[in-house]
Amino acid sequence: MKLVPKSRSVSSANGAGALQELKKPAARSRTIRVDFKDVVEPRESFMDKFVIRGGNPLVGSIRVSGAKNAALPAMAAAILTDEPVTLENIPDVRDIQTERNLLVSMGAEVELGYGRAHHRTTICCNNLVNPEAAYELVKTMRASTLVLGPLVARMGRARVSQPGGCAIGARPIDLHIKGLETLGAKITQEHGYIEASADRLRGGHIVFDKITVTGTEDLMMAATLAEGETVMENCAREPEVSDLAALLNKMGARVEGAGTSTIRIQGVGKLHGARHRIIPDRIEAGTFVIAGALTCGDLTVANCEPNHLGALLQKLEECGVQLQTSGDSVRVTGNGQLFASDVSTEEYPGFPTDMQAQYMALATQAEGTSTITENIFENRFMHAQELVRMGASIRVEGSRAVVRGKTSLSSAAVQCSDLRASASLVIAALMADGETILDRVYHIDRGYERIEEKLRSVGAQIKRIGEMLPKRAAAPVSVA
Ligand code: UD1
């Protein structure tokens, strides 16, 4: 990746006030401007593998990054204003790089901090020329559809590729579309794209047929600039939704009730720039807690928000995991004594579907039989077959997986199929006998920031390797 250092270049008559404010941090630490052509392939990890030698207890302290799922909608929220929005604690993961590309492809100016400001990004959508999310970007990250609502609300039009299917299920966006129609947008769908337009959205009453996280976020953002009041019922209550509402309110929006199932939004004529710190990643934190428990270590998962981990920590305690929580950390100590317990995934505050795969790795080491029921996505057991290849006893029956513990795991060559499935395989490899090779780690790079470095710092034996060269390279073609 080649990024060209550049001095601040955000310019907007309306953004002048916010620009002054932005100059302060720029004086302390420099920033680099993202150029679309430079970041199309931000990190050449497509062929990378992890080699993990199991058996080491994780001991020490590991720091959790900002929440990818809070950062993505926060970055989309910058579309709602022509002034700069500065976001702190942005994780350095591939999905964030994809979203930066998307915003830059639309004409946004995006600057990254570096050095100590490495996790800061400033986005200015003063000059959005191309309100389109192309298939090439949406196909690699479904959360790209989060730009749909903000684009219609601010620009009056949007063209966003339909996401299509993905490894964990169909993942339709019909509820985003239905909600935008309720707010007065005209929607057409052709050539694989959704086109939405509206002179100005107007407030409305939206009742979600199903709880959807990004659907709630998308429509909440759209409603901030609509004329009049919007009431949304059966909303997602995830902490990431509340974090987005906090940012929107800093930008001048009037959002109430985020974190409950009814959200009220009084539309305003204009939003302004703001500065906001993204909440810690509860899924990354939960992944490390399970890794600590399973490796019989003494691990402090620092810089997290234990209140966001309620259902997971309660379940782990039921399984016999020793936990101590403080204001912003969880200490986990494992003694190898784990007991089976059933789990059903639910919307927040229930047990998160994004922790189901990692919990399955734990269930393979618990005495007894655990039944894991997946209620959110229809095809989210891809990790089960890989765990079985490592020696686990798992039977998948529709939306249920029956895991019989406690089986010893042995190393194997395994493949990551999606983000959280990959995390479960990393955890399994950390306690397996021998050296596991994990292929397709680009899935894990989508949502975990340098996981191998973090795990190595607490004693794991894990190494990233690039694609091996074939034994004999083809003979060079001679040109006469
Ligand atoms: C978000 C998270 C993802 C997490 C998921 C569930 C982000 C960027 N991603 O994904 O990590 O696994 O929540 O907690 O925040 N549905 C519809 N129609 C729609 C929208 C959703 O039927 O228009 C269905 C989905 O197919 C799924 C369920 O609703 O069965 C929940 O999906 P949703 O909450 O929308 O997931 P995402 O927001 O995509």
Side-chain angles (χ1 to χ4, degrees):
M1 173 173 65
K2 193 184 97 205
L3 289 167
V4 187
K6 194 169 174 195
S7 57
R8 302 212 63 80
S9 55
V10 182
S11 62
S12 143
N14 296 331
L19 193 60
Q20 292 305 315
E21 186 190 292
L22 282 170
K23 278 185 176 156
K24 286 183 225 150
R28 278 202 306 272
S29 58
R30 286 176 295 171
T31 56
I32 40 181
R33 161 95 176 275
V34 178
D35 190 340
F36 184 54
K37 72 179 186 335
D38 292 326
V39 289
V40 169
E41 265 309 323
R43 200 164 163 202
E44 299 298 333
S45 66
F46 190 74
M47 292 306 208
D48 287 2
K49 301 178 197 307
F50 282 160
V51 181
I52 302 173
R53 188 172 302 141
N56 279 17
L58 301 187
V59 178
S61 176
I62 202 164
R63 210 176 145 79
V64 172
S65 298
K68 163 184 88 71
N69 286 355
L72 292 172
M75 291 169 76
I79 293 172
L80 293 164
T81 174
D82 56 9
E83 295 184 9
V85 172
T86 297
L87 301 168
E88 316 261 2
N89 206 27
I90 293 276
D92 185 8
V93 297
R94 186 179 274 262
D95 274 7
I96 295 295
Q97 292 158 353
T98 304
E99 178 132 345
R100 282 194 190 112
N101 282 354
L102 176 58
L103 292 169
V104 170
S105 75
M106 291 176 185
E109 291 192 29
V110 179
E111 291 182 346
L112 312 178
Y114 63 91
R116 284 175 59 199
H118 173 59
H119 292 102
R120 178 196 301 149
T121 192
T122 297
I123 302 162
C124 183
C125 294
N126 176 41
N127 190 25
L128 281 191
V129 284
N130 177 32
E132 172 168 331
Y135 175 66
E136 285 309 312
L137 289 166
V138 177
K139 78 170 183 200
T140 61
M141 189 190 67
R142 319 174 57 72
S144 307
T145 50
L146 276 167
V147 299
L148 184 60
L151 281 177
V152 199
R154 161 114 186 278
M155 309 294 291
R157 66 199 168 95
R159 187 166 184 268
V160 174
S161 171
Q162 304 242 30
C166 82
I168 63 172
R171 303 192 80 172
I173 56 163
D174 55 312
L175 302 175
H176 299 234
I177 293 171
K178 206 170 139 188
L180 281 175
E181 283 175 337
T182 304
L183 299 182
K186 256 181 75 184
I187 312 247
T188 54
Q189 298 184 49
E190 49 182 27
H191 308 303
Y193 278 79
I194 297 157
E195 297 200 12
S197 60
D199 284 341
R200 185 176 177 195
L201 296 175
R202 51 178 155 66
H205 187 194
I206 296 167
V207 182
F208 290 103
D209 299 334
K210 201 169 178 181
I211 297 176
T212 158
V213 178
T214 48
T216 301
E217 293 164 345
D218 198 13
L219 296 168
M220 184 163 80
M221 289 190 275
T224 57
L225 289 179
E227 191 177 349
E229 185 184 60
T230 299
V231 178
M232 305 201 302
E233 291 185 62
N234 201 27
C235 295
R237 292 180 284 161
E238 268 68 0
E240 293 77 17
V241 174
S242 306
D243 196 44
L244 174 63
L247 166 64
L248 292 171
N249 286 339
K250 286 180 191 170
M251 294 168 68
R254 295 171 60 198
V255 180
E256 278 176 18
T260 73
S261 52
T262 303
I263 300 179
R264 284 175 191 277
I265 304 132
Q266 302 290 339
V268 296
K270 200 168 180 344
L271 295 179
H272 52 75
R275 179 179 288 268
H276 182 70
R277 187 173 177 80
I278 299 295
I279 54 173
D281 195 314
R282 62 195 165 98
I283 306 301
E284 188 195 15
T287 303
F288 290 143
V289 170
I290 290 186
L294 276 176
T295 57
C296 298
D298 183 348
L299 186 67
T300 299
V301 180
N303 195 38
C304 67
E305 176 46 87
N307 290 333
H308 294 166
L309 294 165
L312 173 71
L313 298 185
Q314 194 182 335
K315 180 54 65 183
L316 294 180
E317 279 183 331
E318 262 175 61
C319 295
V321 176
Q322 308 284 318
L323 298 169
Q324 277 172 265
T325 58
S326 70
D328 69 349
S329 69
V330 178
R331 181 175 171 201
V332 52
T333 41
N335 58 8
Q337 276 279 298
L338 293 171
F339 309 101
S341 184
D342 297 344
V343 147
S344 284
T345 61
E346 285 166 27
E347 295 88 1
Y348 191 85
F351 190 94
T353 174
D354 284 352
M355 285 304 305
Q356 177 260 106
Q358 302 88 318
Y359 182 79
M360 190 179 286
L362 180 128
T364 67
Q365 301 308 302
E367 294 285 353
T369 301
S370 310
T371 301
I372 300 175
T373 308
E374 173 55 58
N375 292 314
I376 308 295
F377 293 111
E378 66 263 34
N379 188 25
R380 208 172 194 181
F381 286 137
M382 310 274 276
H383 43 283
Q385 66 212 36
E386 298 300 284
L387 291 172
V388 167
R389 295 186 59 247
M390 295 177 74
S393 167
I394 305 169
R395 200 174 66 248
V396 175
E397 302 164 346
S399 62
R400 292 187 332 153
V402 181
V403 185
R404 194 173 51 79
K406 148 181 193 165
T407 51
S408 49
L409 300 184
S410 60
S411 58
V414 289
Q415 280 208 3
C416 304
S417 55
D418 67 71
L419 173 56
R420 307 304 171 186
S422 322
S424 126
L425 297 178
V426 168
I427 292 171
L430 288 174
M431 59 178 167
D433 178 31
E435 226 174 61
T436 296
I437 300 192
L438 233 87
D439 203 355
R440 302 192 180 179
V441 303
Y442 57 87
H443 285 293
I444 209 160
D445 292 333
R446 282 190 45 218
Y448 289 85
E449 181 173 323
R450 289 190 291 279
I451 192 171
E452 74 279 21
E453 288 175 24
K454 289 191 184 187
L455 288 172
R456 235 185 353 248
S457 74
V458 290
Q461 295 202 66
I462 173 170
K463 190 171 159 190
R464 180 187 289 263
I465 52 167
E467 167 81 324
M468 304 280 190
L469 288 172
K471 264 197 173 146
R472 282 165 58 115
V477 179
S478 59
V479 180

